[in-house]
Amino acid sequence: MNKPINILGIAGSLRRQSYNRSALRAAKQLAPEGVTVNIFEIDGIPGFNEDDEKNPPVKVVDLKKQIRAADALLIVTPEYNYSVPGVLKNAIDWASRPYGDSAWSGKPAAIMGASIGTIGTARAQYHLRQIFVFLNIFPINQPELMIGNAAERFDAQGNLTDEKTKEYIRELLQSLAEWTNRISVQTK
Ligand SMILES: Cc1cc2nc3c(=O)[nH]c(=O)nc-3n(C[C@H](O)[C@H](O)[C@H](O)COP(=O)(O)O)c2cc1C
């Protein structure tokens, strides 16, 4: 039997009614048996300053601790100007430093994102994949989950109402769980 998988979920929006934070909450509820999604909120992390990287804010210390404790990561990114939002990149940068003490290296990961546009964060997701190369994060390639036209898929309370999207999220988490098991077997 596979061991339980603990996924750390991070959404790249601070917005109260964020579709991406809502999608992450949906993922927590839709996780398959044996898989748990814990959410880390990135609000309150100050702008990265290399002068402070050896004495980071408490929230960054906590973020790095939670990344290290997780078996896998789920990053839920909005698309801002065809890329990842600065607040997400900022959190990524903090947790990658100081040099030689990155919390990210070797983690299996999945990406998804929600946008009010039709392309559903595809461009941001490919930028994130590029960032993962340097961080040595291993993302699943399939399925890709771009939630376009997000305004039609969530209700006013932020609940995901679109059944197809729920199914895609389940598939994404299942794929991440299988990938995590494969990677941990390889690295034993
Ligand atoms: C600064 C900014 C840039 C944006 N750029 C894009 C973009 O490049 N592509 C896109 O599909 N949507 C873009 N949007 C719209 C976002 O998809 C929309 O605001 C979405 O709701 C953000 O995610 P959230 O609901 O999780 O906060 C942009 C929004 C902002 C505020």
Side-chain angles (χ1 to χ4, degrees):
M1 207 178 83
N2 290 324
K3 74 176 184 67
I5 291 175
N6 162 28
I7 297 173
L8 184 67
I10 300 172
S13 175
L14 308 183
R15 203 166 73 84
R16 271 189 301 276
Q17 302 273 58
S18 161
Y19 296 118
N20 287 278
R21 291 176 62 226
S22 297
L24 179 53
R25 283 197 304 275
K28 187 180 169 78
Q29 286 164 4
L30 295 166
E33 208 186 316
V35 175
T36 309
V37 177
N38 295 307
I39 296 176
F40 187 93
E41 297 281 358
I42 60 171
D43 62 302
I45 297 181
F48 177 77
N49 181 341
E50 198 176 342
D51 289 339
D52 300 330
E53 67 176 13
K54 291 194 173 129
N55 188 20
V58 174
K59 183 118 191 190
V60 172
V61 174
D62 189 28
L63 172 61
K64 291 181 77 172
K65 200 170 141 193
Q66 291 203 40
I67 295 166
R68 288 191 165 114
D71 299 309
L73 309 167
L74 173 62
I75 309 294
V76 190
T77 186
E79 181 170 288
Y80 277 9
N81 299 315
Y82 284 17
S83 189
V84 294
V87 289
L88 177 59
K89 182 63 162 54
N90 185 56
I92 289 173
D93 291 343
W94 269 115
S96 72
R97 298 293 297 180
Y99 183 77
D101 190 35
S102 170
W104 302 107
S105 186
K107 293 288 173 184
I111 300 170
M112 65 179 189
S115 154
I116 54 172
T118 49
I119 300 184
T121 72
R123 293 158 296 216
Q125 291 195 28
Y126 290 125
H127 273 189
L128 189 56
R129 284 180 185 273
Q130 184 181 339
I131 293 164
F132 281 4
V133 174
F134 187 70
L135 296 174
N136 199 35
I137 289 175
F138 302 114
I140 53 168
N141 287 327
Q142 298 286 335
E144 295 185 288
L145 182 37
M146 285 110 183
I147 307 171
N149 302 316
E152 296 165 18
R153 301 184 201 281
F154 295 85
D155 68 17
Q157 285 71 47
N159 300 304
L160 178 61
T161 51
D162 183 63
E163 290 302 321
K164 264 281 173 222
T165 306
K166 287 186 191 175
E167 199 179 308
Y168 294 145
I169 291 176
R170 279 191 206 99
E171 284 170 17
L172 185 80
L173 292 172
Q174 190 59 46
S175 174
L176 177 59
E178 283 162 19
W179 177 230
T180 303
N181 282 324
R182 278 171 67 182
I183 285 193
S184 49
V185 167
Q186 296 295 321
T187 53
K188 254 180 200 164

